[in-house]
Amino acid sequence: MADYVVTGATLIDGTGAEPVANAALFVHDGRVAWAGPMNQLPAEVRKADEVDAAGRWVIPGLIDAHVHICWNGRESVLDLIHRDRDLIILEAVDTVRRILETGTTTVRDIGGHDYVEMSIRKAITAGHIAGPRMRTSGKVIAMTGGHAYFIAREADGPDDVRRAAREQIKAGADTVKLMATGGAATPGQDVMASQLTVEELAAAVGAAHAMGRTVATHCHGTGGIKNSVLAGVDSIEHGTYLDEETADLMVERGTALVLTQGVARPDPDKVPPGQQAEYERLEKIFDALTERTRQSIQIAREKGVLIGSGTDAGGNALAPHDFSMARELECLVEGGFTPLKALTIVTRNNAGILRWTNELGTLEPGKLADFVILNADPLDNIRNVRQIHAVYKGGTRI
Ligand SMILES: [Zn+2]
């Protein structure tokens, strides 16, 4: 790959630093080799090919820390599991391409289907199909009849949960995902109810950490969040009913909170065909979750909990994969974060939660050249992350 230098754009590097106007980004061998103001560009770099980005903005590729690529987000998972497996695969191929085209260059699949997501990752890595870099969790682990049991490896008791965690790692999981409370996508469940016990969760944590993997738990109710933190999990997904005491514990133990706000705020004008009843079922639950999540964010910010963010796209019939990280950024800004802070959450912070900071999340020398060139200023209006001029992954334009 030929070296090139992106010139003239305003650079937002993902570290949280203020933007650099009239910047240069030198890409060598698919990685960032130099980034900074144009007038400080080293002399030898000036001979490289130039990509003129004057009047535009460069941001790191977005990272979605919570997504389900096997599900299309237009139909419920309960319906999709009965579909022909080949069709699920072919649709996932289309989904990952669209995710990449909207500027999300890395995702963490946090609940797959029959290890289809593992094959999709292999196909992306091999270059057979276009898609983001991926972390995967394999099958979610739930207690018998627990949240999303219909796609889960059901497990009961510490020994069985430990074995279930090891099965996912054997299949290729980077993260073990467990259900610590009920969930909205499973009809008839109480989102406040705790599911797996501290002992069961801790068994999975022990197995995962021994193999260098992380653990994430789906949590709405306070009890499940607390159980997870006490068990030593690495990230709390959703975290709807976080309280101050548990937030203190998260800071103490370094537990991250992965917010998923957009999924609970579907656009009433864009309800997919045939999903009106599902919309009506979920609307009230979602309103309550959204309302309480605002409080959780406030508590997490005040206490200094590490915050990440994901779309949960695919997680239900009202969660499409279209520009969903943009939606997440908009929700973060509505939740009180500055656009710069919101961008830092979905780049640097998410890279940390995915244990990928050595290569991703910021546009600093040595990192993979995953970046997006925008036609409008995302710090002026976060909606401008939808104004995509070009997406680069590993230095190659998509
Ligand atoms: Zn999810």
Side-chain angles (χ1 to χ4, degrees):
M1 188 191 297
D3 295 351
Y4 58 88
V5 57
V6 181
T7 59
T10 300
L11 175 70
I12 300 163
D13 69 6
T15 63
E18 288 299 318
V20 178
N22 199 18
L25 182 78
F26 177 47
V27 178
H28 168 71
D29 240 359
R31 288 180 186 265
V32 176
W34 192 89
M38 282 271 277
N39 58 15
Q40 292 172 26
L41 192 65
E44 65 271 21
V45 175
R46 292 180 195 182
K47 292 187 219 95
D49 290 347
E50 197 177 324
V51 174
D52 181 9
R56 298 197 162 99
W57 285 260
V58 171
I59 61 171
L62 306 177
I63 300 175
D64 187 345
H66 185 130
V67 72
H68 304 278
I69 65 146
C70 296
W71 316 116
N72 64 27
R74 295 188 308 274
E75 295 163 273
S76 85
V77 177
L78 264 166
D79 291 335
L80 288 168
I81 50 172
H82 301 298
R83 183 159 296 173
D84 190 299
R85 188 172 186 269
D86 293 347
L87 280 176
I88 290 179
I89 295 169
L90 289 165
E91 193 156 31
V93 168
D94 179 58
T95 295
V96 290
R97 178 185 52 76
R98 287 189 292 118
I99 289 171
L100 183 60
E101 284 171 354
T102 54
T104 299
T105 51
T106 302
V107 301
R108 182 173 65 155
D109 188 281
I110 201 90
H113 176 63
D114 205 13
Y115 306 122
V116 163
E117 70 289 350
M118 306 280 188
S119 302
I120 294 285
R121 173 172 63 178
K122 276 186 197 147
I124 292 170
T125 307
H128 300 317
I129 60 171
R133 302 176 196 284
M134 286 179 65
R135 293 284 201 226
T136 57
S137 71
K139 291 184 185 176
V140 298
I141 300 171
M143 68 177 198
T144 295
H147 177 43
Y149 64 87
F150 35 86
I151 54 162
R153 158 67 158 91
E154 292 176 292
D156 301 288
D159 286 347
D160 195 21
V161 172
R162 186 182 300 110
R163 185 175 178 87
R166 287 176 175 159
E167 285 167 8
Q168 308 321 308
I169 294 166
K170 183 182 177 187
D174 308 290
T175 294
V176 173
K177 164 82 179 295
L178 303 107
M179 302 307 198
T181 72
T186 310
Q189 287 212 343
D190 177 1
V191 298
M192 296 303 286
S194 300
Q195 296 195 343
L196 293 165
T197 65
V198 177
E199 292 71 27
E200 287 171 324
L201 295 167
V205 169
H209 287 178
M211 302 282 280
R213 305 315 204 268
T214 56
V215 177
T217 51
H218 160 101
C219 298
H220 290 299
T222 314
I225 302 174
K226 197 166 183 186
N227 286 347
S228 299
V229 180
L230 290 173
V233 312
D234 302 285
S235 68
I236 301 295
E237 309 296 309
H238 320 300
T240 314
Y241 287 81
L242 179 66
D243 66 0
E244 297 204 4
E245 185 195 340
T246 315
D248 282 332
L249 211 55
M250 288 176 75
V251 172
E252 201 182 299
R253 301 199 168 199
T255 320
L257 171 65
V258 176
L259 298 166
T260 59
Q261 298 183 81
V263 68
R265 299 166 69 181
D267 185 341
D269 298 331
K270 289 186 184 162
V271 175
Q275 298 299 337
Q276 194 57 37
E278 184 66 353
Y279 177 77
E280 280 157 24
R281 181 183 80 81
L282 287 170
E283 196 185 9
K284 278 197 185 68
I285 305 175
F286 282 163
D287 284 350
L289 295 181
T290 297
E291 184 62 32
R292 186 52 178 77
T293 298
R294 292 213 177 95
Q295 277 182 57
S296 278
I297 294 173
Q298 199 129 13
I299 293 168
R301 289 173 66 189
E302 276 165 18
K303 299 288 185 182
V305 173
L306 173 65
I307 294 174
S309 176
T311 60
D312 211 355
N316 66 54
L318 307 164
H321 289 275
D322 301 322
F323 272 111
S324 36
M325 275 312 282
R327 178 86 183 107
E328 217 54 42
L329 281 161
E330 288 155 17
C331 289
L332 286 166
V333 170
E334 283 167 30
F337 294 100
T338 64
L340 183 63
K341 180 68 191 168
L343 278 168
T344 309
I345 286 172
V346 306
T347 55
R348 184 194 68 190
N349 289 15
N350 277 355
I353 290 162
L354 271 61
R355 301 290 193 269
W356 222 332
T357 35
N358 58 331
E359 294 196 291
L360 299 175
T362 60
L363 294 172
E364 296 173 291
K367 301 282 177 97
L368 288 161
D370 291 1
F371 60 96
V372 183
I373 303 179
L374 301 172
N375 286 322
D377 184 0
L379 302 188
D380 176 47
N381 184 341
I382 198 63
R383 286 187 63 80
N384 289 337
V385 292
R386 295 167 190 262
Q387 304 297 319
I388 292 177
H389 171 68
V391 179
Y392 289 75
K393 182 184 160 199
T396 301
R397 185 169 178 179
I398 306 307

